[in-house]
Each structure stands twice: as structure tokens, then as C-alpha cells.
Amino acid sequence: MKVTLQNLTKVFNSRVGKVKSSVTAVNDFCFEIEDGELIGLLGPSGCGKSTTLHLLSGLQKPTSGKIFFGDEDVTALPAESRGVGLVFQNYALYPHLTVLQNITFPLENRKGKDKLTKEQMVLRATEAAKLVQLENLLDRKPSELSGGQQQRVAIARALVKEPRILLLDEPLSNLDARLRLQTREEIRRIQRSTGVTTIFVTHDQEEAMSISDRIVVMKDGVIHQIDKPQAVYDDPINLFVAKFLGTPPINVFEGYIKNETLYIDNEALMPIANEADREVVIAIRPEGFTTESEGETVLTCGLTRVEVMGRDISIVATHDKCENVSIRAIVDADNLSCINGTTVRFGLKKHKVFVFEKESGERIRF
Ligand code: ADP
Ligand code: MG
């Protein structure tokens, strides 16, 4: 099912004593989600991710704008008629019901032509349970399951309704690191095999990058960039997006342009044609450093330590003009021998160096 958000806006007006305030949680969202696509909504806490899901599910009404499922305008359709499967961070299972009963629950109160027999319900629930690999645990109570298994019950319960779209709001947040990894792969597999159009909300960039066909990067209710994960990482539209994606994080420096050359401190990094002299922000991905200094591309940093990670090494360094607590450079482990002393001279890979306007944070392409 294709989903279209058309100028979707949600403003919350609140009042504390005599002071009125309003928050635009979702500001003029316009995008299309293709049939069968898994879209990741990514942004820091409070940026409007959950509100977007609530609008899609019908739990909240937009202030303005429209939502379409396929060609159908569902903006005024009540939540129960939208055919949406929802999964939240806290799985909210019924503790006194078994896994099977929890999964059949959404099918119980169907009326008229949608009414199912007991056998049909069990069949549907068993199929959903198989999909999330819980078919051997149908008689257990939620308290007898691990967190990951409980979240899979919640996913099966959302899928049993054969929803037109599946909405997942930070579904992995309550799981420990290992289960989180496993469950996210599981979600991707289930989504692929059902082909259900899915919107996955997270504040964790790694999670969003690994699971999504495309990601929507948002901040303060505004969409900053929508693209494939690799494209957003390789070609960030502004400094916020560049800083939000990537582990270790991108290294951010105060720099300047002088005579069409890019500088950090007194070191010339590379040419930047047709740009006026001014102060800028320069951001370098950890993998953008090399230890062979190619030609004039050199940045001299203080060497803190070297961490061996097997295939790669991580060089931890410092620079007066860097805003990060420490610089992280990831280089090939073969280069270990050439690093010693108290300074390190880096070469730079041009396509891993991004330049931004100092005030607006907008990207300067060169
Ligand atoms: P996220 O899920 O990205 O953390 P939310 O969508 O929950 O963000 O919230 C977005 C913004 O809208 C926040 O500033 C939040 O305080 C505000 N907000 C959310 N729900 C309400 C509400 N029911 N009433 C007033 N403000 C709200
Ligand atoms: Mg939220």
C-alpha cells in the first residue's frame, strides 16, 4: 500500500497557568512511501516521530494536510477503520493471556462480514506466530518470554489483522544490545516476507541506517533529508544531518576559505573554487583520514592514542580547532607502524570532507 503525506501538519497548543504556548510537532510533511517500502523516521527525541505515527494511525487528527493510503484519502477515517498495525516500545501484552490468546485478541471482536470462527482465528494467529518464529511458544504467558520474544508477540499481534501498513514506534528500545540487533534483523525479514509497507521510528541512526530502504531525517518537526541511508551518509544536506549520522561521529572543525583554498588553522587542505573568503565549518568522516599524506592535503593533529580493532585501527587525536572532544580517524591496520610520537599528520580523502556555512549549517558543495 502506497502512503502519501500531503502538507501534513500538527500543532499542539498547551497552556500552563496563563502562559499559552504552541509546538509544531509535525511541520508541513510532504512525501510518498512506496508500496512494500520500509521507511525509517530518524531524529532526536521530541522531533515529532511519534506524532507522525499517531497521525498515520488515526490516533490523532492533523491540524492541516492530508494522508492517503493508495488513492484513498484516510485523513478523516477513524483509527479502527484504517487497517493499521501498531507496535510500541513497551509491548503492552495482556499478562494473563497466553501468546496465542494475545495474538488472536485483535480478531475477537469483529462483527458482521469480518467475523471469524474460532478455527479461523487460531489459523491466522498460528500463521502470524510462524512468521515471527514463535509457533512453539503459543501456550506460554508473556512473563515466561524474553524481551525479544515479547516484542515478537506484539509484532505478530499487529500482523494478524493483515494491516495495510505497519507502524513501529521505537520497537527495540527496551531490548538489550544483542537482542536489539537480532530483533531488528527479524523485523527486516518479516517485513520482506509479508511485503507490508512499514514505517519504523527510531532515534538511533545505526538502527535506522541498517533496516531502512530510505530514511527521513527530522529535527524539531521539520524534515531535513529523505534518501537511501548510504546516500544520506555520503551526501548530507546540512551540518545537522552530517553530525547525526555515523559512528564514530563525524569530526567537526572551525575552518575558513581564503583565496579559493580551504584551511584549518594555518594548514591549507584543498582548493575550493569560486567561493568567497569567509569562515566555514569543515567536517571530516573518520574514514576520511589517511596516514600517507598525499601531496598538500595535510592536517597535523596531536596524537592521544591508537586503538587496535583488528582489521582497522582507530587513531584518537586532538586539534585546537576541532569541536569534538577527540578526533577519531579509522585507518587500515597496515598503517600502524608509521604512527608514533606526539603528532600525527593526516592526508584527507576529498569526498569524505564536507564544508558548511558557519551560520546556517547549509552545505557548500565544491
Ligand atoms: P518524538 O517521538 O520524536 O520524540 P513526539 O512526536 O512525541 O516526538 O513530540 C514532538 C513534539 O510535540 C514535542 O515537543 C512534544 O513535547 C510535543 N507533543 C507531543 N505530544 C503532545 C501533546 N499531546 N500535547 C502537547 N505537546 C505534545
Ligand atoms: Mg516518540
Side-chain angles (χ1 to χ4, degrees):
M1 178 66 57
K2 180 171 137 184
V3 177
T4 309
L5 288 72
Q6 204 176 74
N7 305 105
L8 197 67
T9 299
K10 178 70 179 178
V11 181
F12 290 110
N13 293 307
S14 54
R15 199 169 157 179
V16 181
K18 285 198 172 130
V19 186
K20 284 186 195 168
S21 67
S22 81
V23 179
T24 307
V26 173
N27 194 344
D28 200 27
F29 277 21
C30 293
F31 61 93
E32 282 185 2
I33 304 165
E34 295 306 321
D35 183 30
E37 195 175 22
L38 195 163
I39 281 269
L41 295 188
L42 172 68
S45 179
C47 74
K49 304 182 294 295
S50 294
T51 305
T52 308
L53 286 199
H54 295 155
L55 295 174
L56 287 167
S57 67
L59 293 176
Q60 288 176 345
K61 294 274 163 274
T63 308
S64 59
K66 287 184 172 170
I67 301 165
F68 294 85
F69 289 179
D71 295 328
E72 184 190 356
D73 183 344
V74 299
T75 318
L77 206 62
E80 61 277 12
S81 312
R82 288 197 189 186
V84 165
L86 264 171
V87 177
F88 297 106
Q89 173 179 342
N90 52 341
Y91 347 108
L93 303 178
Y94 300 104
H96 58 288
L97 300 182
T98 63
V99 168
L100 181 68
Q101 290 165 333
N102 264 285
I103 299 175
T104 50
F105 193 82
L107 304 176
E108 302 275 357
N109 293 315
R110 294 196 165 192
K111 303 255 169 359
K113 66 175 174 41
D114 293 331
K115 197 169 167 56
L116 299 173
T117 64
K118 188 85 196 154
E119 289 72 36
Q120 286 170 323
M121 280 193 260
V122 171
L123 192 69
R124 286 263 289 266
T126 313
E127 273 167 19
K130 267 193 197 139
L131 211 52
V132 299
Q133 297 176 345
L134 283 173
E135 67 268 34
N136 298 324
L137 304 174
L138 291 172
D139 298 328
R140 297 237 187 129
K141 294 275 172 63
S143 61
E144 298 164 331
L145 300 175
S146 73
Q149 289 166 336
Q150 290 184 47
Q151 191 54 295
R152 272 148 53 195
V153 177
I155 294 168
R157 191 176 54 183
L159 290 173
V160 78
K161 294 185 285 184
E162 295 175 351
R164 297 201 278 179
I165 62 171
L166 181 63
L167 306 176
L168 304 161
D169 195 350
E170 314 233 11
L172 309 178
S173 302
N174 283 357
L175 307 180
D176 65 41
R178 177 110 130 249
L179 262 179
R180 208 177 307 154
L181 211 69
Q182 202 182 326
T183 312
R184 104 182 168 204
E185 283 165 18
E186 191 76 347
I187 289 174
R188 183 76 248 209
R189 184 188 62 73
I190 295 163
Q191 196 270 337
R192 279 265 152 78
S193 65
T194 56
V196 61
T197 306
T198 300
I199 301 162
F200 181 98
V201 162
T202 178
H203 62 271
D204 181 331
Q205 54 91 23
E206 211 181 318
E207 205 168 281
M209 298 262 284
S210 66
I211 202 171
S212 313
D213 293 316
R214 286 189 301 154
I215 53 177
V216 178
V217 188
M218 34 198 286
K219 184 188 170 201
D220 300 335
V222 175
I223 295 176
H224 282 244
Q225 193 164 4
I226 306 178
D227 213 328
K228 295 197 170 74
Q230 193 68 46
V232 179
Y233 181 83
D234 288 339
D235 200 7
I237 199 162
N238 58 31
L239 183 60
F240 165 72
V241 175
K243 284 165 84 165
F244 202 71
L245 266 62
T247 25
I250 199 160
N251 302 287
V252 181
F253 297 84
E254 282 174 28
Y256 58 94
I257 298 169
K258 196 172 146 194
N259 299 331
E260 300 196 334
T261 304
L262 199 57
Y263 284 87
I264 292 176
D265 218 0
N266 54 10
E267 288 179 304
L269 304 183
M270 53 190 69
I272 180 163
N274 305 317
E275 290 292 340
D277 290 1
R278 62 190 186 278
E279 292 184 0
V280 293
V281 176
I282 300 171
I284 307 170
R285 291 275 181 220
E287 68 278 18
F289 297 94
T290 61
T291 43
E292 324 87 78
S293 37
E294 296 153 356
E296 290 145 82
T297 350
V298 162
L299 181 67
T300 310
C301 299
L303 178 62
T304 308
R305 65 177 183 279
V306 174
E307 294 171 0
V308 181
M309 305 188 296
R311 184 167 51 99
D312 300 321
I313 53 176
S314 170
I315 302 172
V316 185
T318 56
H319 193 289
D320 283 349
K321 300 293 178 191
C322 184
E323 70 164 51
N324 306 49
V325 178
S326 51
I327 297 165
R328 292 234 166 219
I330 311 285
V331 300
D332 216 304
D334 295 344
N335 296 331
L336 188 55
S337 57
C338 63
I339 305 156
N340 48 44
T342 55
T343 60
V344 53
R345 285 164 61 80
F346 288 118
L348 300 175
K349 298 176 191 164
K350 185 177 175 232
H351 67 288
K352 295 284 180 182
V353 177
F354 306 126
V355 183
F356 303 96
E357 297 290 357
K358 193 178 169 190
E359 296 302 324
S360 66
E362 290 306 308
R363 178 93 173 271
I364 304 167
R365 294 178 186 277
F366 66 106

